[in-house]
Amino acid sequence: MVNRAAIRETYGCIRPYVRRTPTIEVDGDDFGMGGVRLVLKLELLQHTGSFKPRGAFANMLAHRIPAAGVVAASGGNHGVAVAYAAMKLGEPARIFVPTVASPTKIERIRGYGAELVVTGERYADALAESERWAAQSGALAVHAYDHEETLLGQGSVGLEFEEQAPEGVDALLVAVGGGGLIGGIAAWYEGRVPIVGVEPELAPTLARAMEAGRPVDAPAGGIAADSLAPRRVGELMFPLAAQWVERVVLVSDEEIRAAQEALWKTLRVVTEPGGAAAFAGARRAGFGKRVGVVVCGGNTTAVDFGRA
Amino acid sequence: MVNRAAIRETYGCIRPYVRRTPTIEVDGDDFGMGGVRLVLKLELLQHTGSFKPRGAFANMLAHRIPAAGVVAASGGNHGVAVAYAAMKLGEPARIFVPTVASPTKIERIRGYGAELVVTGERYADALAESERWAAQSGALAVHAYDHEETLLGQGSVGLEFEEQAPEGVDALLVAVGGGGLIGGIAAWYEGRVPIVGVEPELAPTLARAMEAGRPVDAPAGGIAADSLAPRRVGELMFPLAAQWVERVVLVSDEEIRAAQEALWKTLRVVTEPGGAAAFAGARRAGFGKRVGVVVCGGNTTAVDFGRA
């Protein structure tokens, strides 16, 4: 069961391995959003530059790891996180990534000592390959979003956020790819705070699922394709979203890029497109006076000190 | 008097105008510093990308602003902060900056609507010009570090840090240019936590002052010259440093650059050289098991989303 008690228990297991990322409260005026207070959860400061290690450690600490180690498929950040967690726990890892993965992420996976297999154009192709290999080798498959432990681990972002913003928020905005992060957070809050999903217009997995009443295939493109563009949301997250995600906002690639620029210019926070998507959604009006935003990833090649 | 009570009172005045920047606790292992816990104060997330608005607002809120407005001289960040504070408070500002100032900082000063005068090679030249103009126009001079209000404002970084790390640290590392930040923090802690200054080898203002027993001229060069290279530390900060700064560590330009790289690679925090200097100092051994670091500036041209 993915619920509050299980998330708390999982958090107790993974806490020694993850950073408790800070929140910062900023004035919406700074970003042209008058009258709004923003509470930003800076989860991009997590190990490996995204929230994904929470789920990776949750999986690996919940199971005995076979001799073949672990295997994962990933648009990038999950692969990096599994490689990192395997390194920390001293286990072998093999990571399948689609060709769309960013060079930064590929470099990191290699840097953590995992075996890297670049295969197929989209996440789904890499996933199919990884499943074949898991069946053949006996390696433990760590799913990017559609495992109970993954949801429990990502849900700890909600647990921390509530401790850091105990007075609550009028809405908490969370980017959606496969839905592991928002599913876990929704399960943590159980409706006590309105959870809003934010997706790229070009990768509307949760929006399409909500329309259809079940996970269905959606386009998987756009500027955040390396992190927010699996083909569909997970089966496990969908009932959580259906019950507790208040709505889904779609943002354009231009809005995501503008959000990246604004977060850097005004707050000195560097995000990847998927990491800025929830903030892009928050810039739309109508979420209330006090708005929470999970800033969930910072793996970009936009930084080069050699040119400063 | 620059002391704890005055810093607390000043903080009450400036609090509505400044961000309470977060701390994050990280494992020194992540940075090759085994057995150390680091508590990083992410003051680079402050308005304008550095701690300087604290002192700027402290000055402007403590005085009646004359019709001619305010004037400041600055290697960059202080000028940006005064321009920002003047904009927020609806007052005119004229900022004198040396030619060494970074393009990012000059662009920001203009962006906040201040009048900009680029003059002289070093901070001291810009300061002399600004003083002439203050005398002539009657504008309120806001000193980058050697005003009581400036020290009181910067001291609020210490106040917040203590609230955020109430269990204390074995040492708190702070970068030094003119010494306003470390002077204020030292005054806040009054010796209850060992304060360590970190300076570029090529701009050792506090180290030279400590040797001489008074502020003396020092070289003003190196990679962080646009923020940590005034000619000497302030007269007001020196007695505070002499009493409460435990020691001064000098770091090379290479160490500063490596610290910038490490903070980005391992924590996804983008700093300017002056903002990474204290962290560079922390990478030297011998500060204890739990080490605080003020990460005090993020104004760099190293970020370009167009190339991501």
Side-chain angles (χ1 to χ4, degrees), chain A residues 30 108 265 268 301 307, chain B residues 108 265 299 301 307:
Chain A
D30 302 348
R108 288 207 155 195
K265 179 162 180 244
R268 291 305 187 222
T301 52
R307 55 186 292 286
Chain B
R108 287 207 154 192
K265 180 165 179 242
N299 290 324
T301 52
R307 57 187 290 288

Side-chain angles (χ1 to χ4, degrees), chain A residues 19 22-23 30 45 47 108 257 260 264-268 270-271 298-305 307-308, chain B residues 19 22-23 30 45 47 108 257 260 264-268 270-271 298-305 307-308:
Chain A
R19 292 182 184 144
T23 54
D30 302 348
L45 305 181
H47 289 295
R108 288 207 155 195
R257 174 52 56 91
Q260 286 182 285
W264 169 240
K265 179 162 180 244
T266 307
L267 189 63
R268 291 305 187 222
V270 173
T271 48
N299 291 325
T300 166
T301 52
V303 179
D304 179 359
F305 291 106
R307 55 186 292 286
Chain B
R19 292 181 184 145
T23 54
D30 301 348
L45 305 181
H47 291 295
R108 287 207 154 192
R257 175 51 55 93
Q260 286 182 286
W264 168 242
K265 180 165 179 242
T266 308
L267 190 62
R268 292 305 189 220
V270 173
T271 48
N299 290 324
T300 168
T301 52
V303 179
D304 179 0
F305 292 107
R307 57 187 290 288

Side-chain angles (χ1 to χ4, degrees), chain A residues 11 15 18-24 39-54 154 156-165 181 293-297, chain B residues 22-26 37 42 266-268:
Chain A
Y11 188 56
R15 182 66 189 88
V18 299
R19 292 182 184 144
R20 184 179 171 90
T21 57
T23 54
I24 184 170
V39 187
L40 308 179
K41 172 77 168 162
L42 301 180
E43 183 65 12
L44 79 166
L45 305 181
Q46 188 53 264
H47 289 295
T48 75
S50 90
F51 63 95
K52 294 282 192 179
R54 296 176 187 264
Q154 322 307 30
S156 66
V157 172
L159 179 156
E160 287 184 2
F161 187 83
E162 183 163 24
E163 289 180 353
Q164 294 166 321
L181 181 60
V293 179
V294 181
V295 182
C296 62
Chain B
T23 54
I24 183 169
E25 237 188 272
V26 297
R37 287 295 283 180
L42 300 180
T266 308
L267 190 62
R268 292 305 189 220

